[in-house]
């Protein structure tokens, strides 16, 4: 475990995300996976299937954050250009990886499917990259320095993450607790919450209202910190804050949905 702050960014690649055709859930999966490692996700970008835009985003993010995760664009079709973009970002060549070619050939032979030229595109790996196993569909992702390039399909992303875990440094995990109050409105506590946020060092406070109906609404106040003692203090003060405005609350470990 390291005491240095570890950070991550996610670059989602694909026109289908920007058009609204596809709804992303990979951010949730990746951020949830990284949390126990003490690696918070601090930025997310969505870029189109345009090589220059991918290169620009990846180069900016890899300079700023400890780790970068890209999703999408490593399949067999014409718009799957992420591997080429990563190679360009790092200034290296790209070619069909012998190990991947052999693995995919065996996989397609087993399925009785022709290993066509478009399918062989999935074996193109930037020079010097290390492979990221894909236990779901076979075609691997890859790692170039601090950048991990994953598929776009959520189930495949989840499978690939298991291969990545042992490669990551560990920071201090952020813990959280929730003070949930039915019937509370954000305006009831806004000023007091702002003041409390200024008092509590090393704690991040958030306010998240819900409204399902006129009889089912309220606010969840969430405290996050790497220090268990400061988190406990924050929880006590949030409970007291809600009580001051005449509402009851429940204190819950973590961040229940």
């Amino acid at each position: 475990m390291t005491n240095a702050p570890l950070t991550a960014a996610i670059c989602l690649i694909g026109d289908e995300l920007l058009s609204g055709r596809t709804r992303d859930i990979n951010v949730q999966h990746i951020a949830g996976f990284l949390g126990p490692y003490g690696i918070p996700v601090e930025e997310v970008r969505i870029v189109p299937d345009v090589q220059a835009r991918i290169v620009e985003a990846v180069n900016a993010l890899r300079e700023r954050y400890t780790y970068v995760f890209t999703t999408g664009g490593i399949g067999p079709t014409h718009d799957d250009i992420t591997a080429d973009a990563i190679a360009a970002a790092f200034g290296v060549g790209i070619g069909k990886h012998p190990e991947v070619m052999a693995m995919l050939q065996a996989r397609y032979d087993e399925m009785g499917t022709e290993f066509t030229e478009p399918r062989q595109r999935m074996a193109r790996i930037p020079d010097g990259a290390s492979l990221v196993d894909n236990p779901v569909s076979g075609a691997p992702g890859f790692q170039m320095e601090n950048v991990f390039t994953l598929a776009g399909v959520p189930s495949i992303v989840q499978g690939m993450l298991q291969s990545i875990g042992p490669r990551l440094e560990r920071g201090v995990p952020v813990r959280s607790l929730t003070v949930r109050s039915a019937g509370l409105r954000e305006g009831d506590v806004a000023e007091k919450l702002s003041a409390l946020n200024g008092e509590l060092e090393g704690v991040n406070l958030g306010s998240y209202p819900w409204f399902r109906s006129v009889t089912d609404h309220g606010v969840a106040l969430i405290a996050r910190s790497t220090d268990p003692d400061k988190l406990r203090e924050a929880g006590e003060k949030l409970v007291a804050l809600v009580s001051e405005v005449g509402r009851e609350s429940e204190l819950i470990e973590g961040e229940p949905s």
Side-chain angles (χ1 to χ4, degrees):
M1 181 179 291
T2 179
N3 291 322
L6 301 176
T7 58
I10 301 172
C11 183
L12 308 173
I13 298 167
D15 294 340
E16 69 278 10
L17 294 169
L18 291 166
S19 71
R21 181 183 183 280
T22 298
R23 181 177 62 180
D24 171 74
I25 58 173
N26 286 326
V27 169
Q28 181 181 10
H29 290 324
I30 296 171
F33 177 80
L34 294 176
Y37 287 85
I39 307 172
V41 173
E42 295 195 346
E43 185 173 349
V44 176
R45 295 194 190 187
I46 305 177
V47 296
D49 295 309
V50 176
Q51 180 165 311
R53 296 286 297 278
I54 299 170
V55 170
E56 177 186 21
V58 168
N59 278 337
L61 295 172
R62 71 187 179 97
E63 290 293 327
R64 189 173 302 152
Y65 300 102
T66 313
Y67 299 110
V68 177
F69 295 80
T70 78
T71 69
I74 56 173
T77 61
H78 71 283
D79 57 348
D80 288 314
I81 61 171
T82 300
D84 295 273
I86 298 297
F90 282 88
V92 300
I94 186 171
K96 294 176 182 177
H97 194 289
E99 181 182 336
V100 181
M101 284 289 289
M103 181 270 292
L104 290 177
Q105 180 71 69
R107 187 179 184 91
Y108 281 106
D109 286 347
E110 183 179 359
M111 293 188 296
T113 303
E114 184 181 358
F115 189 29
T116 60
E117 186 65 31
R119 292 184 175 118
Q120 291 178 26
R121 282 176 54 81
M122 294 186 290
R124 297 175 72 252
I125 305 293
D127 296 345
S130 57
L131 302 179
V132 172
D133 291 340
N134 174 2
V136 179
S137 62
F142 54 86
Q143 176 187 357
M144 284 290 292
E145 298 183 8
N146 64 332
V147 178
F148 294 93
T149 298
L150 313 181
V153 178
S155 61
I156 299 177
V157 169
Q158 289 178 289
M160 287 180 168
L161 287 172
Q162 304 313 310
S163 172
I164 289 171
R167 309 183 192 189
L168 301 175
E169 292 186 70
R170 286 181 176 266
V172 181
V174 175
R175 294 177 170 82
S176 61
L177 55 79
T178 301
V179 174
R180 192 174 184 277
S181 178
L184 184 68
R185 294 170 296 185
E186 283 192 298
D188 298 335
V189 294
E191 291 186 6
K192 293 178 182 293
L193 187 64
S194 179
L196 182 59
N197 189 58
E199 294 173 15
L200 294 170
E201 276 190 42
V203 179
N204 176 264
L205 299 180
S207 174
Y208 306 94
W210 80 86
F211 190 96
R212 300 186 185 95
S213 70
V214 292
T215 58
D216 183 4
H217 62 91
V219 177
L221 302 175
I222 297 180
R224 303 179 181 94
S225 180
T226 58
D227 187 317
D229 293 331
K230 290 181 179 180
L231 188 63
R232 190 178 307 110
E233 178 189 2
E236 293 170 354
K237 291 190 174 183
L238 287 173
V239 169
L241 184 155
V242 173
S243 179
E244 287 176 14
V245 297
R247 293 288 181 180
E248 296 183 353
S249 64
E250 57 177 334
L251 180 61
I252 307 168
E253 294 290 332
E255 301 182 29
S257 56

PDB file of all heavy atoms in Angstrom, residues 14-41:
ATOM      1  N   GLY A  14     -16.817   6.079 -28.209  1.00  0.00           N
ATOM      2  CA  GLY A  14     -17.871   5.545 -29.063  1.00  0.00           C
ATOM      3  C   GLY A  14     -18.925   6.557 -29.438  1.00  0.00           C
ATOM      4  O   GLY A  14     -19.465   7.251 -28.579  1.00  0.00           O
ATOM      5  N   ASP A  15     -19.217   6.643 -30.728  1.00  0.00           N
ATOM      6  CA  ASP A  15     -20.285   7.523 -31.202  1.00  0.00           C
ATOM      7  C   ASP A  15     -21.630   7.145 -30.603  1.00  0.00           C
ATOM      8  O   ASP A  15     -22.491   8.003 -30.398  1.00  0.00           O
ATOM      9  CB  ASP A  15     -20.386   7.452 -32.736  1.00  0.00           C
ATOM     10  CG  ASP A  15     -19.162   8.012 -33.438  1.00  0.00           C
ATOM     11  OD1 ASP A  15     -18.416   8.775 -32.809  1.00  0.00           O
ATOM     12  OD2 ASP A  15     -18.951   7.670 -34.622  1.00  0.00           O
ATOM     13  N   GLU A  16     -21.819   5.849 -30.330  1.00  0.00           N
ATOM     14  CA  GLU A  16     -23.104   5.385 -29.816  1.00  0.00           C
ATOM     15  C   GLU A  16     -23.403   5.940 -28.426  1.00  0.00           C
ATOM     16  O   GLU A  16     -24.569   6.084 -28.042  1.00  0.00           O
ATOM     17  CB  GLU A  16     -23.151   3.846 -29.794  1.00  0.00           C
ATOM     18  CG  GLU A  16     -22.234   3.181 -28.782  1.00  0.00           C
ATOM     19  CD  GLU A  16     -20.786   3.029 -29.250  1.00  0.00           C
ATOM     20  OE1 GLU A  16     -20.433   3.615 -30.291  1.00  0.00           O
ATOM     21  OE2 GLU A  16     -20.017   2.340 -28.560  1.00  0.00           O
ATOM     22  N   LEU A  17     -22.370   6.269 -27.671  1.00  0.00           N
ATOM     23  CA  LEU A  17     -22.566   6.876 -26.351  1.00  0.00           C
ATOM     24  C   LEU A  17     -22.984   8.337 -26.495  1.00  0.00           C
ATOM     25  O   LEU A  17     -23.873   8.819 -25.791  1.00  0.00           O
ATOM     26  CB  LEU A  17     -21.281   6.767 -25.531  1.00  0.00           C
ATOM     27  CG  LEU A  17     -20.851   5.356 -25.133  1.00  0.00           C
ATOM     28  CD1 LEU A  17     -19.438   5.377 -24.579  1.00  0.00           C
ATOM     29  CD2 LEU A  17     -21.809   4.757 -24.114  1.00  0.00           C
ATOM     30  N   LEU A  18     -22.339   9.027 -27.413  1.00  0.00           N
ATOM     31  CA  LEU A  18     -22.634  10.444 -27.609  1.00  0.00           C
ATOM     32  C   LEU A  18     -23.998  10.666 -28.256  1.00  0.00           C
ATOM     33  O   LEU A  18     -24.641  11.695 -28.023  1.00  0.00           O
ATOM     34  CB  LEU A  18     -21.537  11.085 -28.466  1.00  0.00           C
ATOM     35  CG  LEU A  18     -20.174  11.208 -27.761  1.00  0.00           C
ATOM     36  CD1 LEU A  18     -19.087  11.531 -28.768  1.00  0.00           C
ATOM     37  CD2 LEU A  18     -20.217  12.268 -26.674  1.00  0.00           C
ATOM     38  N   SER A  19     -24.451   9.702 -29.042  1.00  0.00           N
ATOM     39  CA  SER A  19     -25.757   9.844 -29.690  1.00  0.00           C
ATOM     40  C   SER A  19     -26.905   9.487 -28.760  1.00  0.00           C
ATOM     41  O   SER A  19     -28.065   9.780 -29.047  1.00  0.00           O
ATOM     42  CB  SER A  19     -25.827   8.946 -30.933  1.00  0.00           C
ATOM     43  OG  SER A  19     -25.901   7.573 -30.562  1.00  0.00           O
ATOM     44  N   GLY A  20     -26.574   8.819 -27.649  1.00  0.00           N
ATOM     45  CA  GLY A  20     -27.623   8.385 -26.731  1.00  0.00           C
ATOM     46  C   GLY A  20     -28.155   6.998 -27.033  1.00  0.00           C
ATOM     47  O   GLY A  20     -29.011   6.488 -26.310  1.00  0.00           O
ATOM     48  N   ARG A  21     -27.650   6.374 -28.090  1.00  0.00           N
ATOM     49  CA  ARG A  21     -28.140   5.039 -28.445  1.00  0.00           C
ATOM     50  C   ARG A  21     -27.777   4.012 -27.371  1.00  0.00           C
ATOM     51  O   ARG A  21     -28.545   3.098 -27.084  1.00  0.00           O
ATOM     52  CB  ARG A  21     -27.560   4.605 -29.790  1.00  0.00           C
ATOM     53  CG  ARG A  21     -28.047   3.235 -30.234  1.00  0.00           C
ATOM     54  CD  ARG A  21     -27.389   2.792 -31.536  1.00  0.00           C
ATOM     55  NE  ARG A  21     -27.918   1.513 -31.977  1.00  0.00           N
ATOM     56  CZ  ARG A  21     -27.532   0.339 -31.484  1.00  0.00           C
ATOM     57  NH1 ARG A  21     -26.617   0.293 -30.541  1.00  0.00           N
ATOM     58  NH2 ARG A  21     -28.069  -0.785 -31.941  1.00  0.00           N
ATOM     59  N   THR A  22     -26.581   4.171 -26.786  1.00  0.00           N
ATOM     60  CA  THR A  22     -26.105   3.234 -25.777  1.00  0.00           C
ATOM     61  C   THR A  22     -25.957   3.956 -24.445  1.00  0.00           C
ATOM     62  O   THR A  22     -25.367   5.043 -24.376  1.00  0.00           O
ATOM     63  CB  THR A  22     -24.753   2.623 -26.189  1.00  0.00           C
ATOM     64  OG1 THR A  22     -24.939   1.894 -27.409  1.00  0.00           O
ATOM     65  CG2 THR A  22     -24.218   1.692 -25.116  1.00  0.00           C
ATOM     66  N   ARG A  23     -26.470   3.336 -23.408  1.00  0.00           N
ATOM     67  CA  ARG A  23     -26.336   3.897 -22.063  1.00  0.00           C
ATOM     68  C   ARG A  23     -25.130   3.277 -21.374  1.00  0.00           C
ATOM     69  O   ARG A  23     -25.000   2.060 -21.309  1.00  0.00           O
ATOM     70  CB  ARG A  23     -27.601   3.610 -21.246  1.00  0.00           C
ATOM     71  CG  ARG A  23     -27.545   4.176 -19.837  1.00  0.00           C
ATOM     72  CD  ARG A  23     -28.851   3.936 -19.101  1.00  0.00           C
ATOM     73  NE  ARG A  23     -29.132   2.512 -18.954  1.00  0.00           N
ATOM     74  CZ  ARG A  23     -30.204   2.028 -18.355  1.00  0.00           C
ATOM     75  NH1 ARG A  23     -31.128   2.858 -17.892  1.00  0.00           N
ATOM     76  NH2 ARG A  23     -30.390   0.718 -18.264  1.00  0.00           N
ATOM     77  N   ASP A  24     -24.244   4.117 -20.861  1.00  0.00           N
ATOM     78  CA  ASP A  24     -23.030   3.611 -20.228  1.00  0.00           C
ATOM     79  C   ASP A  24     -23.302   3.139 -18.800  1.00  0.00           C
ATOM     80  O   ASP A  24     -23.981   3.821 -18.034  1.00  0.00           O
ATOM     81  CB  ASP A  24     -21.952   4.694 -20.176  1.00  0.00           C
ATOM     82  CG  ASP A  24     -20.773   4.242 -19.339  1.00  0.00           C
ATOM     83  OD1 ASP A  24     -20.007   3.387 -19.826  1.00  0.00           O
ATOM     84  OD2 ASP A  24     -20.655   4.686 -18.186  1.00  0.00           O
ATOM     85  N   ILE A  25     -22.759   1.974 -18.461  1.00  0.00           N
ATOM     86  CA  ILE A  25     -22.717   1.543 -17.067  1.00  0.00           C
ATOM     87  C   ILE A  25     -21.297   1.132 -16.669  1.00  0.00           C
ATOM     88  O   ILE A  25     -21.058   0.681 -15.555  1.00  0.00           O
ATOM     89  CB  ILE A  25     -23.701   0.386 -16.787  1.00  0.00           C
ATOM     90  CG1 ILE A  25     -23.405  -0.824 -17.674  1.00  0.00           C
ATOM     91  CG2 ILE A  25     -25.127   0.838 -16.953  1.00  0.00           C
ATOM     92  CD1 ILE A  25     -24.232  -2.048 -17.310  1.00  0.00           C
ATOM     93  N   ASN A  26     -20.351   1.321 -17.603  1.00  0.00           N
ATOM     94  CA  ASN A  26     -18.979   0.931 -17.314  1.00  0.00           C
ATOM     95  C   ASN A  26     -18.326   1.821 -16.263  1.00  0.00           C
ATOM     96  O   ASN A  26     -17.474   1.356 -15.503  1.00  0.00           O
ATOM     97  CB  ASN A  26     -18.139   0.934 -18.592  1.00  0.00           C
ATOM     98  CG  ASN A  26     -18.456  -0.254 -19.483  1.00  0.00           C
ATOM     99  OD1 ASN A  26     -18.755  -1.340 -18.995  1.00  0.00           O
ATOM    100  ND2 ASN A  26     -18.409  -0.046 -20.788  1.00  0.00           N
ATOM    101  N   VAL A  27     -18.696   3.085 -16.221  1.00  0.00           N
ATOM    102  CA  VAL A  27     -18.141   3.974 -15.194  1.00  0.00           C
ATOM    103  C   VAL A  27     -18.467   3.428 -13.814  1.00  0.00           C
ATOM    104  O   VAL A  27     -17.605   3.377 -12.918  1.00  0.00           O
ATOM    105  CB  VAL A  27     -18.674   5.408 -15.363  1.00  0.00           C
ATOM    106  CG1 VAL A  27     -18.302   6.258 -14.147  1.00  0.00           C
ATOM    107  CG2 VAL A  27     -18.116   6.045 -16.626  1.00  0.00           C
ATOM    108  N   GLN A  28     -19.698   3.017 -13.619  1.00  0.00           N
ATOM    109  CA  GLN A  28     -20.113   2.461 -12.329  1.00  0.00           C
ATOM    110  C   GLN A  28     -19.294   1.212 -11.992  1.00  0.00           C
ATOM    111  O   GLN A  28     -18.812   1.055 -10.868  1.00  0.00           O
ATOM    112  CB  GLN A  28     -21.595   2.122 -12.369  1.00  0.00           C
ATOM    113  CG  GLN A  28     -22.132   1.551 -11.059  1.00  0.00           C
ATOM    114  CD  GLN A  28     -23.607   1.198 -11.161  1.00  0.00           C
ATOM    115  OE1 GLN A  28     -24.191   1.208 -12.240  1.00  0.00           O
ATOM    116  NE2 GLN A  28     -24.212   0.891 -10.032  1.00  0.00           N
ATOM    117  N   HIS A  29     -19.122   0.328 -12.976  1.00  0.00           N
ATOM    118  CA  HIS A  29     -18.360  -0.898 -12.738  1.00  0.00           C
ATOM    119  C   HIS A  29     -16.904  -0.590 -12.391  1.00  0.00           C
ATOM    120  O   HIS A  29     -16.349  -1.151 -11.432  1.00  0.00           O
ATOM    121  CB  HIS A  29     -18.395  -1.796 -13.981  1.00  0.00           C
ATOM    122  CG  HIS A  29     -19.723  -2.401 -14.261  1.00  0.00           C
ATOM    123  ND1 HIS A  29     -20.593  -2.811 -13.272  1.00  0.00           N
ATOM    124  CD2 HIS A  29     -20.344  -2.678 -15.439  1.00  0.00           C
ATOM    125  CE1 HIS A  29     -21.681  -3.320 -13.820  1.00  0.00           C
ATOM    126  NE2 HIS A  29     -21.563  -3.239 -15.132  1.00  0.00           N
ATOM    127  N   ILE A  30     -16.276   0.283 -13.173  1.00  0.00           N
ATOM    128  CA  ILE A  30     -14.849   0.564 -12.960  1.00  0.00           C
ATOM    129  C   ILE A  30     -14.629   1.305 -11.649  1.00  0.00           C
ATOM    130  O   ILE A  30     -13.736   0.960 -10.866  1.00  0.00           O
ATOM    131  CB  ILE A  30     -14.277   1.357 -14.151  1.00  0.00           C
ATOM    132  CG1 ILE A  30     -14.340   0.504 -15.431  1.00  0.00           C
ATOM    133  CG2 ILE A  30     -12.843   1.789 -13.875  1.00  0.00           C
ATOM    134  CD1 ILE A  30     -14.002   1.276 -16.701  1.00  0.00           C
ATOM    135  N   ALA A  31     -15.438   2.327 -11.394  1.00  0.00           N
ATOM    136  CA  ALA A  31     -15.282   3.085 -10.147  1.00  0.00           C
ATOM    137  C   ALA A  31     -15.524   2.198  -8.933  1.00  0.00           C
ATOM    138  O   ALA A  31     -14.803   2.282  -7.930  1.00  0.00           O
ATOM    139  CB  ALA A  31     -16.243   4.276 -10.136  1.00  0.00           C
ATOM    140  N   GLY A  32     -16.534   1.327  -9.018  1.00  0.00           N
ATOM    141  CA  GLY A  32     -16.800   0.414  -7.919  1.00  0.00           C
ATOM    142  C   GLY A  32     -15.673  -0.579  -7.705  1.00  0.00           C
ATOM    143  O   GLY A  32     -15.340  -0.931  -6.565  1.00  0.00           O
ATOM    144  N   PHE A  33     -15.058  -1.020  -8.786  1.00  0.00           N
ATOM    145  CA  PHE A  33     -13.934  -1.947  -8.698  1.00  0.00           C
ATOM    146  C   PHE A  33     -12.722  -1.280  -8.061  1.00  0.00           C
ATOM    147  O   PHE A  33     -12.004  -1.896  -7.254  1.00  0.00           O
ATOM    148  CB  PHE A  33     -13.585  -2.451 -10.097  1.00  0.00           C
ATOM    149  CG  PHE A  33     -12.386  -3.352 -10.145  1.00  0.00           C
ATOM    150  CD1 PHE A  33     -12.495  -4.697  -9.809  1.00  0.00           C
ATOM    151  CD2 PHE A  33     -11.147  -2.858 -10.531  1.00  0.00           C
ATOM    152  CE1 PHE A  33     -11.372  -5.529  -9.850  1.00  0.00           C
ATOM    153  CE2 PHE A  33     -10.031  -3.679 -10.572  1.00  0.00           C
ATOM    154  CZ  PHE A  33     -10.145  -5.026 -10.231  1.00  0.00           C
ATOM    155  N   LEU A  34     -12.469  -0.019  -8.421  1.00  0.00           N
ATOM    156  CA  LEU A  34     -11.271   0.676  -7.946  1.00  0.00           C
ATOM    157  C   LEU A  34     -11.391   1.160  -6.503  1.00  0.00           C
ATOM    158  O   LEU A  34     -10.376   1.365  -5.832  1.00  0.00           O
ATOM    159  CB  LEU A  34     -10.972   1.866  -8.859  1.00  0.00           C
ATOM    160  CG  LEU A  34     -10.574   1.536 -10.301  1.00  0.00           C
ATOM    161  CD1 LEU A  34     -10.411   2.829 -11.094  1.00  0.00           C
ATOM    162  CD2 LEU A  34      -9.281   0.722 -10.340  1.00  0.00           C
ATOM    163  N   GLY A  35     -12.620   1.343  -6.020  1.00  0.00           N
ATOM    164  CA  GLY A  35     -12.815   1.873  -4.680  1.00  0.00           C
ATOM    165  C   GLY A  35     -12.041   1.138  -3.595  1.00  0.00           C
ATOM    166  O   GLY A  35     -11.308   1.762  -2.803  1.00  0.00           O
ATOM    167  N   PRO A  36     -12.158  -0.187  -3.490  1.00  0.00           N
ATOM    168  CA  PRO A  36     -11.425  -0.914  -2.455  1.00  0.00           C
ATOM    169  C   PRO A  36      -9.905  -0.839  -2.594  1.00  0.00           C
ATOM    170  O   PRO A  36      -9.184  -1.133  -1.644  1.00  0.00           O
ATOM    171  CB  PRO A  36     -11.913  -2.365  -2.639  1.00  0.00           C
ATOM    172  CG  PRO A  36     -13.249  -2.231  -3.288  1.00  0.00           C
ATOM    173  CD  PRO A  36     -13.108  -1.051  -4.206  1.00  0.00           C
ATOM    174  N   TYR A  37      -9.426  -0.471  -3.776  1.00  0.00           N
ATOM    175  CA  TYR A  37      -7.987  -0.295  -3.973  1.00  0.00           C
ATOM    176  C   TYR A  37      -7.513   1.088  -3.528  1.00  0.00           C
ATOM    177  O   TYR A  37      -6.318   1.386  -3.583  1.00  0.00           O
ATOM    178  CB  TYR A  37      -7.623  -0.492  -5.450  1.00  0.00           C
ATOM    179  CG  TYR A  37      -7.669  -1.929  -5.911  1.00  0.00           C
ATOM    180  CD1 TYR A  37      -8.862  -2.496  -6.340  1.00  0.00           C
ATOM    181  CD2 TYR A  37      -6.532  -2.721  -5.927  1.00  0.00           C
ATOM    182  CE1 TYR A  37      -8.918  -3.813  -6.767  1.00  0.00           C
ATOM    183  CE2 TYR A  37      -6.573  -4.045  -6.353  1.00  0.00           C
ATOM    184  CZ  TYR A  37      -7.777  -4.578  -6.763  1.00  0.00           C
ATOM    185  OH  TYR A  37      -7.825  -5.885  -7.178  1.00  0.00           O
ATOM    186  N   GLY A  38      -8.433   1.940  -3.123  1.00  0.00           N
ATOM    187  CA  GLY A  38      -8.061   3.295  -2.741  1.00  0.00           C
ATOM    188  C   GLY A  38      -7.676   4.144  -3.928  1.00  0.00           C
ATOM    189  O   GLY A  38      -6.804   5.019  -3.830  1.00  0.00           O
ATOM    190  N   ILE A  39      -8.350   3.898  -5.070  1.00  0.00           N
ATOM    191  CA  ILE A  39      -8.064   4.644  -6.304  1.00  0.00           C
ATOM    192  C   ILE A  39      -9.356   5.318  -6.753  1.00  0.00           C
ATOM    193  O   ILE A  39     -10.163   4.714  -7.471  1.00  0.00           O
ATOM    194  CB  ILE A  39      -7.532   3.713  -7.415  1.00  0.00           C
ATOM    195  CG1 ILE A  39      -6.335   2.907  -6.916  1.00  0.00           C
ATOM    196  CG2 ILE A  39      -7.148   4.534  -8.641  1.00  0.00           C
ATOM    197  CD1 ILE A  39      -5.871   1.835  -7.893  1.00  0.00           C
ATOM    198  N   PRO A  40      -9.592   6.552  -6.355  1.00  0.00           N
ATOM    199  CA  PRO A  40     -10.831   7.228  -6.773  1.00  0.00           C
ATOM    200  C   PRO A  40     -10.787   7.671  -8.223  1.00  0.00           C
ATOM    201  O   PRO A  40      -9.745   8.089  -8.730  1.00  0.00           O
ATOM    202  CB  PRO A  40     -10.886   8.447  -5.843  1.00  0.00           C
ATOM    203  CG  PRO A  40      -9.454   8.730  -5.517  1.00  0.00           C
ATOM    204  CD  PRO A  40      -8.776   7.382  -5.453  1.00  0.00           C
ATOM    205  N   VAL A  41     -11.919   7.545  -8.894  1.00  0.00           N
ATOM    206  CA  VAL A  41     -12.055   8.075 -10.255  1.00  0.00           C
ATOM    207  C   VAL A  41     -12.353   9.563 -10.157  1.00  0.00           C
ATOM    208  O   VAL A  41     -13.329   9.971  -9.538  1.00  0.00           O
ATOM    209  CB  VAL A  41     -13.185   7.356 -11.012  1.00  0.00           C
ATOM    210  CG1 VAL A  41     -13.435   8.027 -12.364  1.00  0.00           C
ATOM    211  CG2 VAL A  41     -12.829   5.888 -11.212  1.00  0.00           C
TER     212      VAL A  41
END
